[in-house]
Each structure stands twice: as structure tokens, then as C-alpha cells.
Amino acid sequence: MKLPRRCFISHAYADAIRRDRLIASLPPDVEPVTFPPIVVPPDELVSSALLETLSSCDGLVYLDGGPSDDSFWVAFERDYALRAGKAVFAADSQGRLTTHVGRALDLATFASYHRQDRERVRAIGAFLRDERHFDLWIDVDDLAAGDDFARTIETSIHERLARGGYVIVFWSRATRESRFVENEIQRAVQGMPGGNDRVLFARLDDTPLRAFWAGQDHGVQMFGDTERGEKNRWDDLVVRLYWLIYRKTKRAS
């Protein structure tokens, strides 16, 4: 089987022996690329370095079976490579390679925000759609002239949730005072069973969540600080959404 020149090797670190055997068996014209161990869980923190490394490769080979089957990071790397149009191959326990067969996750999402934050949210939304392959509904781009605003919003939220997706609330000082955003959150919560677990807060500033939402652990910091700049944090949102959607998909199967 002809492999691309530069291949990302996706694996669980418990499969290091299999990984090394696979790398040793690759043709000399194939450059294997591995990523250092990720020491934090996906619901806490990740930098954009992993996605940048994946983007720099021509294809991906993942270990099929064993601990790698249960690894979120393997599923995430494989899914991202598929969406980016890269060649993806599976390596079985004997090191035999086959072309991957299967669909990528359905990354259905809905953006809820205050109009004062429109330009920031639109920039993040373009990044999610164009560079990270999310199916994001955002009114400034997807609401057509003549649409019934309230009905279209409600239908779009329900359709995204029915597909296993999430409502992303871009939280800020302006959002906190918005009855429209509050209504969209309530539509998500009341739209289907478990709806309160289908809202992800993307925090544009340090405004505290309202008391009703303070217990939510689905918050992602989107603003820069002394550790990292704002754009460096956008991939934290990407990975958190992947993790939440993957977890629900895994449970459903």
C-alpha cells in the first residue's frame, strides 16, 4: 500500500511497543511523525500544537485495536485528518495497513451571542468552520432575508441538538444582560432531554456566569492572558467540543 510521504502516527501511549514496530516496518521514503504525550485530559486544556502538527502531515496511520481503540486522542486525530482531506489508514495488531472506512463525527453547533460581540464571534466562527471543519450555524451568515427570526432560531437550535451537537454561548458582559441569549439558552435546555448538558460557554471575558449556570463545568476561556493569547485559545474550544460530542456519541453506541 502506497503511503503519503509524511504520516502522523496516531496511538495511545500504552501502545508504544506496537507503535515502534509499525514505525520500523514503514518504507524508507515515509517520514513518521509522532506527538509527545498529552498530560492533561481533553476537558481541561490543549494548545494548538497538536493540530498544527496534524496539519503539517500528508496522511495519518492509527493503531487499530488495543488501548488505542479507547483513546479519545486517537479518535480526535483520525477525525480531524479525515475532515482535512488527508489519507487515513488503520494498522492492525500485525502491522497490516488498510484504508480507513467510516464517517467523521457530526460537529453540529449553534452560536448564541450578543450583537456587541459580533465581530469577535464571527472571527471565531470563521475559524471553526473554515479551519476546523465545524458545521456552525450563526445568524449573521445563515439567517436569510425574510426568515421568521424567532422560528428560524428555534428550529436551528433543535436541529443542531437533534444531531448530537451543542449550543455555544459566547459569554461576555453584554451577553449577561441579554434576554435574547437567555431565551436561546432556555430553548436549548428545554428542547430535549439532557439539554442542560448541551450548552457550552465560550467566555469572551471574565464576566461571571449567572448563578443558575455557575455550576456548569462546560466553560472555555476564549480571552488571552499572561499565559497565551486569544487566538491560541481558540483550539481549546475546538478540542472541548470534539470531546463532548465524541463522549456522547460513544455512549450512544
Side-chain angles (χ1 to χ4, degrees):
M1 181 173 290
K2 180 65 176 176
L3 293 174
R5 185 190 68 81
R6 182 174 163 88
C7 282
F8 188 96
I9 309 300
S10 181
H11 64 288
Y13 291 99
D15 272 335
I17 294 176
R18 280 183 62 199
R19 174 204 63 199
D20 292 344
R21 286 204 304 261
L22 171 66
I23 289 174
S25 71
L26 294 175
D29 61 338
V30 174
E31 176 189 353
V33 177
T34 58
F35 195 78
I38 300 172
V39 296
V40 296
D43 60 343
E44 287 185 9
L45 179 70
V46 70
S47 73
S48 59
L50 172 60
L51 292 176
E52 289 170 356
T53 302
L54 279 166
S55 297
S56 72
C57 295
D58 307 304
L60 177 142
V61 179
Y62 68 93
L63 299 188
D64 193 16
S68 294
D69 263 2
D70 297 321
S71 168
F72 161 73
W73 293 111
V74 171
F76 172 71
E77 292 158 1
R78 177 177 61 232
D79 194 87
Y80 181 79
L82 287 170
R83 292 180 185 282
K86 300 183 185 299
V88 177
F89 304 89
D92 68 14
S93 59
Q94 304 303 312
R96 293 174 296 218
L97 296 175
T98 55
T99 301
H100 172 76
V101 177
R103 294 185 300 175
L105 288 174
D106 186 353
L107 301 178
T109 46
F110 178 97
S112 178
Y113 65 97
H114 192 279
R115 63 181 180 275
Q116 289 183 17
D117 302 316
R118 178 177 297 160
E119 293 311 310
R120 285 181 73 190
V121 171
R122 198 172 190 182
I124 297 170
F127 173 79
L128 290 174
R129 285 194 306 261
D130 301 339
E131 298 188 41
R132 298 300 184 244
H133 317 292
F134 278 78
D135 183 4
L136 175 72
W137 195 97
I138 180 170
D139 60 0
V140 69
D141 293 328
D142 298 312
L143 194 65
D147 282 350
D148 181 321
F149 180 82
R151 178 172 293 182
T152 301
I153 292 294
E154 185 169 1
T155 300
S156 300
I157 290 174
H158 184 269
E159 187 264 343
R160 259 46 186 180
L161 296 183
R163 288 164 53 188
Y166 273 77
V167 171
I168 308 170
V169 177
F170 290 93
W171 189 259
S172 68
R173 291 175 182 83
T175 306
R176 183 179 170 89
E177 306 305 323
S178 171
R179 63 183 178 88
F180 294 105
V181 172
E182 182 70 22
N183 287 340
E184 289 171 356
I185 294 173
Q186 292 303 326
R187 286 191 182 102
V189 170
Q190 298 168 5
M192 61 173 46
N196 63 328
D197 195 34
R198 304 287 282 281
V199 176
L200 175 65
F201 289 89
R203 301 176 60 231
L204 298 177
D205 57 35
D206 59 0
T207 301
L209 297 178
R210 289 188 178 278
F212 180 76
W213 300 108
Q216 286 278 341
D217 61 353
H218 294 165
V220 179
Q221 178 179 328
M222 302 300 293
F223 55 93
D225 54 23
T226 57
E227 293 183 8
R228 288 187 296 153
E230 179 172 327
K231 288 190 177 180
N232 295 121
R233 291 193 173 274
W234 290 2
D235 273 324
D236 295 348
L237 177 61
V238 169
V239 173
R240 182 72 65 85
L241 284 165
Y242 258 105
W243 163 243
L244 293 170
I245 294 172
Y246 166 81
R247 184 180 63 177
K248 287 193 175 298
T249 304
K250 192 84 169 174
R251 287 174 178 171
S253 62

